[in-house]
PDB file of all heavy atoms in Angstrom:
ATOM      1  N   ALA A 358      10.186 -25.220  15.002  1.00 77.00           N
ATOM      2  CA  ALA A 358       9.761 -23.803  15.193  1.00 77.00           C
ATOM      3  C   ALA A 358      10.558 -22.921  14.264  1.00 77.00           C
ATOM      4  O   ALA A 358      10.001 -21.982  13.652  1.00 77.00           O
ATOM      5  CB  ALA A 358       9.943 -23.405  16.646  1.00 77.00           C
ATOM      6  N   SER A 359      11.843 -23.158  14.123  1.00 79.00           N
ATOM      7  CA  SER A 359      12.647 -22.338  13.211  1.00 79.00           C
ATOM      8  C   SER A 359      12.238 -22.495  11.776  1.00 79.00           C
ATOM      9  O   SER A 359      12.169 -21.546  11.027  1.00 79.00           O
ATOM     10  CB  SER A 359      14.128 -22.681  13.333  1.00 79.00           C
ATOM     11  OG  SER A 359      14.590 -22.363  14.606  1.00 79.00           O
ATOM     12  N   ALA A 360      11.910 -23.744  11.354  1.00 81.00           N
ATOM     13  CA  ALA A 360      11.479 -23.991  10.027  1.00 81.00           C
ATOM     14  C   ALA A 360      10.193 -23.277   9.727  1.00 81.00           C
ATOM     15  O   ALA A 360      10.060 -22.647   8.710  1.00 81.00           O
ATOM     16  CB  ALA A 360      11.296 -25.488   9.809  1.00 81.00           C
ATOM     17  N   VAL A 361       9.258 -23.314  10.666  1.00 83.00           N
ATOM     18  CA  VAL A 361       8.002 -22.606  10.496  1.00 83.00           C
ATOM     19  C   VAL A 361       8.237 -21.127  10.379  1.00 83.00           C
ATOM     20  O   VAL A 361       7.747 -20.463   9.474  1.00 83.00           O
ATOM     21  CB  VAL A 361       7.035 -22.893  11.672  1.00 83.00           C
ATOM     22  CG1 VAL A 361       5.793 -22.040  11.562  1.00 83.00           C
ATOM     23  CG2 VAL A 361       6.660 -24.353  11.681  1.00 83.00           C
ATOM     24  N   ALA A 362       9.056 -20.584  11.302  1.00 85.00           N
ATOM     25  CA  ALA A 362       9.359 -19.121  11.225  1.00 85.00           C
ATOM     26  C   ALA A 362       9.970 -18.756   9.927  1.00 85.00           C
ATOM     27  O   ALA A 362       9.654 -17.712   9.375  1.00 85.00           O
ATOM     28  CB  ALA A 362      10.266 -18.759  12.418  1.00 85.00           C
ATOM     29  N   PHE A 363      10.845 -19.635   9.400  1.00 88.00           N
ATOM     30  CA  PHE A 363      11.474 -19.380   8.135  1.00 88.00           C
ATOM     31  C   PHE A 363      10.463 -19.307   6.985  1.00 88.00           C
ATOM     32  O   PHE A 363      10.462 -18.384   6.177  1.00 88.00           O
ATOM     33  CB  PHE A 363      12.531 -20.426   7.869  1.00 88.00           C
ATOM     34  CG  PHE A 363      13.196 -20.329   6.523  1.00 88.00           C
ATOM     35  CD1 PHE A 363      14.261 -19.380   6.331  1.00 88.00           C
ATOM     36  CD2 PHE A 363      12.847 -21.155   5.455  1.00 88.00           C
ATOM     37  CE1 PHE A 363      14.845 -19.252   5.111  1.00 88.00           C
ATOM     38  CE2 PHE A 363      13.433 -21.013   4.213  1.00 88.00           C
ATOM     39  CZ  PHE A 363      14.457 -20.079   4.045  1.00 88.00           C
ATOM     40  N   LEU A 364       9.588 -20.296   6.967  1.00 89.00           N
ATOM     41  CA  LEU A 364       8.550 -20.329   5.919  1.00 89.00           C
ATOM     42  C   LEU A 364       7.653 -19.122   5.996  1.00 89.00           C
ATOM     43  O   LEU A 364       7.407 -18.439   5.010  1.00 89.00           O
ATOM     44  CB  LEU A 364       7.706 -21.620   6.020  1.00 89.00           C
ATOM     45  CG  LEU A 364       8.421 -22.927   5.704  1.00 89.00           C
ATOM     46  CD1 LEU A 364       7.537 -24.110   5.940  1.00 89.00           C
ATOM     47  CD2 LEU A 364       8.916 -22.924   4.219  1.00 89.00           C
ATOM     48  N   VAL A 365       7.203 -18.839   7.213  1.00 89.00           N
ATOM     49  CA  VAL A 365       6.304 -17.736   7.400  1.00 89.00           C
ATOM     50  C   VAL A 365       6.969 -16.400   7.011  1.00 89.00           C
ATOM     51  O   VAL A 365       6.415 -15.542   6.285  1.00 89.00           O
ATOM     52  CB  VAL A 365       5.827 -17.652   8.868  1.00 89.00           C
ATOM     53  CG1 VAL A 365       5.096 -16.361   9.174  1.00 89.00           C
ATOM     54  CG2 VAL A 365       4.904 -18.850   9.189  1.00 89.00           C
ATOM     55  N   GLN A 366       8.241 -16.250   7.438  1.00 93.00           N
ATOM     56  CA  GLN A 366       8.981 -15.037   7.079  1.00 93.00           C
ATOM     57  C   GLN A 366       9.050 -14.857   5.548  1.00 93.00           C
ATOM     58  O   GLN A 366       8.819 -13.787   5.046  1.00 93.00           O
ATOM     59  CB  GLN A 366      10.381 -15.131   7.720  1.00 93.00           C
ATOM     60  CG  GLN A 366      11.380 -14.085   7.234  1.00 93.00           C
ATOM     61  CD  GLN A 366      11.067 -12.687   7.799  1.00 93.00           C
ATOM     62  OE1 GLN A 366      10.360 -12.576   8.785  1.00 93.00           O
ATOM     63  NE2 GLN A 366      11.620 -11.671   7.167  1.00 93.00           N
ATOM     64  N   ASN A 367       9.306 -15.957   4.885  1.00 95.00           N
ATOM     65  CA  ASN A 367       9.417 -15.894   3.423  1.00 95.00           C
ATOM     66  C   ASN A 367       8.090 -15.545   2.754  1.00 95.00           C
ATOM     67  O   ASN A 367       8.028 -14.765   1.797  1.00 95.00           O
ATOM     68  CB  ASN A 367       9.979 -17.179   2.844  1.00 95.00           C
ATOM     69  CG  ASN A 367      11.484 -17.164   2.888  1.00 95.00           C
ATOM     70  OD1 ASN A 367      12.127 -16.623   1.989  1.00 95.00           O
ATOM     71  ND2 ASN A 367      12.081 -17.739   3.916  1.00 95.00           N
ATOM     72  N   LEU A 368       7.002 -16.109   3.282  1.00 94.00           N
ATOM     73  CA  LEU A 368       5.691 -15.775   2.698  1.00 94.00           C
ATOM     74  C   LEU A 368       5.376 -14.336   2.958  1.00 94.00           C
ATOM     75  O   LEU A 368       4.745 -13.665   2.068  1.00 94.00           O
ATOM     76  CB  LEU A 368       4.604 -16.703   3.303  1.00 94.00           C
ATOM     77  CG  LEU A 368       4.803 -18.180   2.859  1.00 94.00           C
ATOM     78  CD1 LEU A 368       3.738 -19.042   3.513  1.00 94.00           C
ATOM     79  CD2 LEU A 368       4.781 -18.331   1.349  1.00 94.00           C
TER      80      LEU A 368
END
Side-chain angles (χ1 to χ4, degrees):
S359 294
V361 173
F363 176 79
L364 291 176
V365 169
Q366 169 72 19
N367 274 278
L368 294 178

